[in-house]
Amino acid sequence: EPFWGVRREMVKLLGETNTEDALVGLLGIVASERDHMVLSAVFQAVGAYRDARVVTAVSARLAKGDLPAAARVTAMAALGRQ
């Protein structure tokens, strides 16, 4: 989806779904999303899941050093919920 607003709503719904398929989708989005308008929602959504894969994916994205400040804070909060 090219429009950031649709992607942001999509990841919010995936966070609420609480299924294995939604988690797998979110983990892929953690690695690939680039839009600063979507990133915080991505980390909020993935942080709703308690799973070791969340820690791995979020830690890897933080290690890349390519996140804006607000997304970094949300990513760290997602790790804190694990």
Side-chain angles (χ1 to χ4, degrees):
E1 170 61 45
F3 181 59
W4 64 266
V6 173
R7 291 195 318 276
R8 185 173 63 193
E9 292 304 313
M10 179 185 71
V11 297
K12 287 180 183 179
L13 291 173
L14 287 172
E16 295 171 6
T17 302
N18 198 27
T19 66
E20 175 67 18
D21 289 338
L23 175 58
V24 169
L26 283 169
L27 293 171
I29 295 168
V30 165
S32 64
E33 183 60 57
R34 300 285 178 239
D35 195 320
H36 72 281
M37 298 296 286
V38 182
L39 283 165
S40 288
V42 169
F43 293 117
Q44 286 175 343
V46 80
Y49 292 85
R50 299 210 180 225
D51 191 291
R53 295 172 292 177
V54 171
V55 174
T56 302
V58 174
S59 296
R61 186 62 192 264
L62 282 167
K64 287 174 93 174
D66 66 342
L67 296 174
R72 268 194 319 273
V73 169
T74 311
M76 289 181 215
L79 287 177
R81 287 192 294 264
Q82 300 304 303

